[in-house]
Amino acid sequence: MSIEEIIQSWKRSKNISPCLTDLRIFKKREGQYQPFPDFLHPLLQEALRSEGIESLYSHQAEAIQHVQEGQDVVVVTPTASGKTLCYNLPVLNRRLSDPSSKAFYLFPTKALSQDQMFELQNLTKKLEKPIRTFTYDGDTPQDARQAIRTQGDVVITNPDMLHTGILPHHTKWVTFFQSLRFVVIDELHTYRGVFGSHMTNVLRRLSRICDFYGSKPRFICCSATIANPKELAERLLERDVFLVDQNGAPSSEKIFIFYNPPVVNKELGIRGNHIHAARRLVSPFIKQGIQTILFATSRLNVEVLTKYLKDRFEKRLEDKGRIRGYRGGYLPEVRREIEKGLREKEVKAVVSTNALELGIDIGDLDVCIIAGYPGTIASTYQQAGRVGRRTEKALAVLIARSQPLDQFIIENPDYFFGRSPEFGLINPDNLLILLSHIQCAAFELPFRDGERFGREDLGEILRYLEEKGTLHYVDQHWYWTKDAYPAEKVSLRSTSEENFVVVDTTKKKVEKTRLREEVIAEVDFTAAHTTLHEGAVYLCQSELYAVERLDYQNRRAYVKKTAGDYYTDAIDYTDVSILEGFERKQGEGIFYEHGEVRVTTRIVGYKKIKFYTLENLGYGKIELPDLQFHTTSYWITFKKELLDRLPYPRLEAIEGILGLGYAFHSMAALHLMCDPHDLNRCVGDRGAKWFIRLSRDSKGIYSSFSSPEEITNEKIDLFEPTLFMYDNYPGGMGFSHQLFDDTMSLLEKTKKLISKCECPYGCPSCVGPVKEVGEKSKEVALALLEEILK
């Protein structure tokens, strides 16, 4: 059966056909071509022809023309449109005419760096000129680093290594910086939020060092489709950038289907599980040997779905390895092996997190199944763009979960297909981020009086650092005074401390009195609390491992293979306390504010969940240190008089606020055009004495971690619940101010979402599952909104 025949069988199926809410066909697109420009070196033209490239796509020709004219450019075209040549050609062309010229290539991940190095090396081999290309990252051996610094022509690295391993040691790179002509930044759209804010500051530091060595490199940026690529590039680089966005690459016919799982419990509004739906929809493609990629929304979902598919399609020994999982945390050699298996068609289906969303070369796939809306339109297009690179026909299927955002997208396909993708927003002058990079910059080169770094008053920050004893002022310069170099303590992607390693003790081997340990994975600091606690079942490449011991101090988890029939899911509670309010407004029965908060998360236990049936098999207890960070937040406090006016006991009123918060979170993410994970919510109180447990298994008011108090009904009646909607990153991302300004329109949208839902008591598509938020949640949430919006 072909892709077309499988789609026709879905249309005839009584079970599948009613779930297909939309089907769009994007017609095959012919390419637009231009001849090689005259300034392109004859050796390069010859190398391209040897690869079967006789001309350039129009956007490639436009990009290299503007670079040749001395402009910085950002190229924005879909996945697999040949963006790589937009930077490789100018870099190699300059190198052939000026043998001393150097270039930095920056990719957000090590995997992409490796991938691009092989592509560039293949091209340089055909030139028969010694152009030395190396990757320089955390995996580069120490003995190779000196050779790369002195001999490299093109150094491929990532922002983290530039930040900690290159800029602080720029004196070892003198020749390279003096001859630096190009800086290439690929996957520009990933530099949003906190990561993007850090990246701007890293680039500010790079510019200072280039100025010091007298070089003025040109910047070539490439991005997937976002709403504001030129603006984002100009904010990152803090200079004018020319936008190239008219795609000249051909594309195959692509069919895009929206699938909404059937309602399995009408009264509770619960739909079929999206993981089960993905397993069902992908099965005919795997049977027919049609190469498929599935995207899941979490690492746990990747492992569970991989296990389900392996159970079905790898029963024979010769089928082993046809189905693979792919996610962060797998060891680099395992990821390279999976990528190679995809390119060589040995792997027939891969289940991935958004780790494969970026442009790693995994060959030409045919079908993409997206199990759960990824959170943004831009990400959805990126994932769908992994298929149909060179085939005649490709298929992408988006499967909705029960969450309001998924349901909104799946029921409003015109919104999805007609709306521009999200904006890439950054806040590089966030004081916490800016301060940390000013210290890094001062270590690299002393600041001069009157120098600029960001938009804040640099002089005031430098004086503050002098008072702290970090800087010393002498002769109109500010010098670093500490021994340690500050970049080591600044993580670009989070505040995360070092990763935990997962050690498999199943095959313990003693070699000369020393135990040989096999490291099978790495887990980031925050995720380790929920996945590597003692008693957890850790899933890696769909194999089950029982966590026997967690050595928290040394960041090691010791695991052993197991053959259980369940996985574990951690239970956590969050407590938010206000540190400072910035602005406050009154509303009908409410007041709302935004400011700075401390977020404390405690992991208290875990559930054992049976594979396939998802039934709860029991609980376990977890005792680990709390996770804490400071961020910015927006909050609404529901006044006592408002709650007293409603005919509901206080606990039912709080259930209504939980439901209102659930719906408000979805509307806020849609309104801000951000990923829902960029925001988080909590219901507690302004004094941080209480917080609400929002859990399927236990719900109610509990005393705060920080202020344990005896709970009485009298105290509960005095409690004024507060809904916190906080930026889910240390230091904040600037969302809370916008939520504060748009409070009333957001409450109107939330009311519309809840009242339009046809369920009687509440469901995952409006106020949340009844088991979590209570049977009166929908009724009370609407009553609250009626009062507030009078």
Side-chain angles (χ1 to χ4, degrees), residues 127-138:
L127 296 174
E128 295 176 3
K129 288 273 182 182
I131 298 174
R132 294 175 293 268
T133 304
F134 303 101
T135 57
Y136 191 89
D137 56 34

Side-chain angles (χ1 to χ4, degrees), residues 541-781:
Q541 298 184 63
S542 76
E543 296 276 3
L544 276 62
Y545 296 86
V547 179
E548 297 190 319
R549 184 165 72 89
L550 177 64
D551 181 352
Y552 194 86
Q553 294 301 114
N554 295 308
R555 306 288 192 255
R556 299 173 85 75
Y558 295 92
V559 302
K560 201 170 191 175
K561 270 194 182 171
T562 181
D565 62 348
Y566 69 89
Y567 60 93
T568 51
D569 195 10
I571 303 165
D572 60 21
Y573 302 131
T574 297
D575 176 24
V576 176
S577 50
I578 298 166
L579 300 175
E580 185 185 358
F582 299 153
E583 278 182 277
R584 178 172 175 166
K585 284 185 183 174
Q586 295 283 346
E588 181 58 49
I590 59 167
F591 55 86
Y592 49 99
E593 302 172 82
H594 73 99
E596 194 176 333
V597 298
R598 180 175 62 241
V599 178
T600 306
T601 299
R602 179 170 292 177
I603 320 293
V604 294
Y606 61 92
K607 296 176 279 188
K608 298 174 181 179
I609 298 172
K610 192 176 172 76
F611 285 113
Y612 296 102
T613 65
L614 306 183
E615 63 189 286
N616 194 337
L617 300 178
Y619 297 90
K621 198 175 177 188
I622 302 174
E623 288 185 10
L624 286 173
D626 294 344
L627 296 165
Q628 278 195 0
F629 65 94
H630 289 197
T631 186
T632 50
S633 179
Y634 157 80
W635 59 90
I636 305 174
T637 298
F638 299 85
K639 293 182 188 173
K640 185 175 180 298
E641 66 249 35
L642 168 66
L643 302 182
D644 289 345
R645 286 205 301 268
L646 298 175
Y648 305 105
R650 190 55 55 97
L651 271 174
E652 283 186 359
I654 286 165
E655 287 179 348
I657 293 166
L658 287 173
L660 192 156
Y662 181 97
F664 189 92
H665 187 164
S666 298
M667 288 297 98
L670 199 64
H671 181 73
L672 294 166
M673 295 186 81
C674 71
D675 189 308
H677 295 108
D678 291 341
L679 292 170
N680 213 337
R681 69 183 187 279
C682 168
V683 176
D685 78 317
R686 301 183 79 260
K689 290 183 179 177
W690 311 96
F691 72 101
I692 306 280
R693 284 190 177 178
L694 175 58
S695 156
R696 187 185 301 275
D697 311 292
S698 56
K699 182 176 77 266
I701 304 178
Y702 291 79
S703 62
S704 167
F705 315 144
S706 50
S707 322
E709 274 190 43
E710 197 179 327
I711 299 160
T712 62
N713 285 332
E714 293 76 27
K715 285 187 176 177
I716 287 173
D717 287 342
L718 294 172
F719 166 57
E720 290 192 325
T722 300
L723 168 62
F724 292 93
M725 197 66 61
Y726 57 88
D727 294 10
N728 210 8
Y729 295 92
M733 293 174 66
F735 291 141
S736 51
H737 193 283
Q738 201 175 335
L739 294 176
F740 174 81
D741 287 343
D742 300 338
T743 294
M744 287 305 153
S745 69
L746 276 165
L747 288 170
E748 289 278 8
K749 287 179 180 177
T750 303
K751 183 184 170 190
K752 190 175 173 186
L753 170 77
I754 299 170
S755 55
K756 273 183 73 181
C757 189
E758 294 175 2
C759 69
Y761 304 116
C763 72
S765 302
C766 59
V767 295
V770 168
K771 283 184 181 176
E772 285 183 19
V773 293
E775 288 192 8
K776 286 288 181 75
S777 180
K778 182 174 183 177
E779 181 186 326
V780 178

Side-chain angles (χ1 to χ4, degrees), residues 51-62:
E51 295 223 319
I53 300 170
E54 295 292 334
S55 56
L56 298 176
Y57 298 142
S58 56
H59 65 271
Q60 292 171 335
E62 185 185 1

Side-chain angles (χ1 to χ4, degrees), residues 148-186:
I148 293 170
R149 289 193 292 261
T150 54
Q151 297 170 31
D153 296 317
V154 177
V155 171
I156 301 174
T157 187
N158 54 61
D160 312 82
M161 195 64 183
L162 182 65
H163 158 61
T164 57
I166 296 175
L167 297 181
H169 309 293
H170 61 87
T171 51
K172 296 177 180 177
W173 293 78
V174 174
T175 310
F176 197 94
F177 276 113
Q178 286 173 338
S179 305
L180 184 62
R181 299 292 174 261
F182 292 100
V183 177
V184 171
I185 304 174
D186 200 6

Side-chain angles (χ1 to χ4, degrees), residues 201-217:
N201 283 290
V202 171
L203 293 172
R204 286 168 175 169
R205 288 160 51 201
L206 174 64
S207 293
R208 285 184 85 225
I209 287 168
C210 289
D211 286 345
F212 180 75
Y213 289 110
S215 62
K216 295 201 180 313

